[in-house]
């Protein structure tokens, strides 16, 4: 399906990894932008993307990439996006629409409020990912049916909000407006905590030797996220520490409660603990 | 593939749920037994299994079901298997082969040593399962390629060991002999701990309201095991508490370490914690 009128004349995607690459592929497939350019530190990714017709131009400088662009997407890890936002701010075309695609929103939304008043900016977070990263893992259907969280900033007028929704819908996702703090609290529980539990499981149970033969699909699925990209996860942990620590405290309390019940051989309460977990899932 | 000579003239399967039902289906498909009978508290399951030709006879009494059987498989939750073993012991045919299919082995292996001296017994644990239970979830290929842990007991001679291996291979699995204590320590880490981490995640993060929209495949996979059958899991927790508490302590220590690093904003050590989890996975 190609959009009748592209949302952007020139869309600049800063960071051409799994998310940026998938957005580029989806935008190209659906005709969301007349021209797509990208910036990435990996020159090979840019060359590959140009060769396969995903983007028209590649740049090593973000400020150069955004010049003349009416749409700018920040698709690097969160702290890199924060640095890039400061870097591109003076180079933004008048009225440019800027959206980040990072996994935490509080710091970014605060930073976007400091953009030049002419800029339009929305915080975005498509809830899709894989435990593998990089342009080679990108796919145009990555966001199909996924929730696309959107957060208003000090630079979000009605027009920018409508454009953000059109972009989210355009790549196949379902837009969901959330306050940045509510977003960060929620994803701490349903996204960052699952990573942490998977990683703690990997710390406690490396499948080596006989353990490898005994590890079945249960171990595999529960520990899958332990393989997440450390660069991406580090930025998430560092920009959402308070919410993540609160979620972690809930999980640790549940584990401590279970351990006490095991020590006491409290059959009735053990069953209740398990039934409650099952009910909540 | 039908075996040239069945391993058993009459195979009695005690407990016709996911595991017992799948063993029955695999034994039937591969001709491992001339006759298959079963015992289950759910009369409807027995009737269904007879109607679909999976078993020849159904019984509500385990002692009656094993009468005349040269092969007996205990496929109920662990503590029920322990009770059933005592119940069937006096009714076992001379030289009958008994194997349980429970998830923990220490208590069962000790109990099997108390069987009449004529009996042959091996502890078994096929490493396959689903988060759904019951006969309706059973499938003949459930054990294909799975590891089938086997534990010697005071009633395991060379002949019984060979028969246990032939049965494991016959249902498509790969037999792996382990000491019962080593088995229980290993599965505490790669099987029971994954359940516990998934359940603790469900306790800490129920996907309700906006959280449901934000929960993606990461939450789904990591929490999948929280839906495991509480009856089965309760018996596992109660018959493997020391090994499980040791595994739980390792996971809790990893979580506590992470929390300290988050509090200290120790970027270098946070990255090391994540890299280590990724390497172990």
């Amino acid at each position: 399906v190609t959009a009748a009128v592209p949302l952007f004349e020139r869309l600049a995607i800063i960071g051409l990894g799994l998310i940026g690459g998938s957005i580029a592929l989806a935008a190209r497939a659906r005709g969301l932008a007349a021209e797509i350019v990208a910036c990435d530190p990996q020159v090979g990714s840019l060359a590959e993307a140009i060769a396969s017709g995903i983007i028209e131009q590649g740049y090593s400088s973000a400020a150069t990439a955004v010049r003349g662009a009416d749409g700018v997407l920040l698709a690097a890890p969160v702290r890199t996006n924060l640095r890039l936002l400061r870097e591109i701010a003076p180079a933004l075309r008048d009225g440019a629409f800027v959206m980040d695609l990072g996994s935490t929103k509080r710091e970014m939304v605060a930073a976007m409020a400091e953009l030049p008043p002419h800029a339009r900016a929305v915080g975005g977070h498509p809830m899709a990912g894989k435990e593998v990263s990089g342009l080679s893992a990108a796919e145009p259907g990555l966001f199909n049916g996924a929730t696309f969280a959107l957060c208003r900033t000090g630079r979000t007028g009605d027009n920018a909000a409508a454009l953000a929704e059109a972009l989210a819908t355009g790549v196949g996702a379902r837009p969901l407006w959330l306050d940045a703090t509510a977003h960060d609290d929620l994803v701490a529980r349903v996204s960052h905590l699952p990573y942490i539990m998977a990683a703690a499981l990997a710390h406690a149970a490396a499948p080596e030797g006989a353990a490898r033969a005994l590890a079945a699909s249960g171990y595999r699925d529960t520990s899958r996220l332990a393989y997440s990209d450390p660069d991406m996860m580090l930025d998430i942990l560092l920009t959402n520490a308070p919410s993540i620590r609160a979620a972690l405290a809930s999980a640790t309390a549940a584990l401590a409660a279970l351990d006490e019940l095991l020590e006491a051989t409290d059959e009735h309460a053990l069953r209740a603990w398990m039934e409650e977990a099952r009910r909540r899932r």
Side-chain angles (χ1 to χ4, degrees), chain A residues 71-118:
Chain A
V72 175
L73 300 178
L74 298 172
V78 176
R79 291 189 305 165
T80 304
N81 282 344
L82 288 164
R83 180 174 58 72
L84 288 166
L85 186 73
R86 286 192 301 273
E87 210 172 297
I88 63 170
L92 288 173
R93 169 176 150 173
D94 198 55
F97 171 84
V98 181
M99 180 189 275
D100 82 302
L101 305 169
S103 305
T104 65
K105 299 266 66 84
R106 257 180 301 222
E107 291 196 25
M108 177 54 75
V109 161
M112 282 176 162
E114 306 301 318
L115 282 174
H118 72 80

Side-chain angles (χ1 to χ4, degrees), chain A residues 53-79:
Chain A
I54 305 170
I55 62 172
E56 270 76 37
Q57 291 281 346
Y59 300 89
S60 56
S61 151
T64 310
V66 306
R67 220 170 286 278
D70 55 339
V72 175
L73 300 178
L74 298 172
V78 176
R79 291 189 305 165

Side-chain angles (χ1 to χ4, degrees), chain A residues 6 8 32 34 69 72 97-98 114 138-140 154 159 179 186 201 209-210 214 216 218-219 228 232-233 255 263 268:
Chain A
F8 306 103
L32 302 183
V72 175
F97 171 84
V98 181
E114 306 301 318
E139 40 180 300
N159 177 284
D179 166 75
L186 288 166
L201 172 60
L214 294 178
Y219 178 84
S228 300
M232 182 187 73
M233 288 311 307
L255 292 175
E263 187 174 22
H268 181 75

Side-chain angles (χ1 to χ4, degrees), chain A residues 113-177:
Chain A
E114 306 301 318
L115 282 174
H118 72 80
R120 302 177 293 164
V122 175
H125 180 202
M127 302 302 301
K130 301 183 183 179
E131 76 279 19
V132 288
S133 53
L135 179 61
S136 56
E139 40 180 300
L142 186 67
F143 310 108
N144 278 344
T147 296
F148 200 128
L150 297 173
C151 300
R152 285 181 178 275
T153 77
R155 295 287 177 269
T156 308
D158 288 350
N159 177 284
L163 191 50
E165 284 188 29
L167 175 61
T169 309
V171 298
R174 291 185 298 240
L176 175 68
W177 289 96

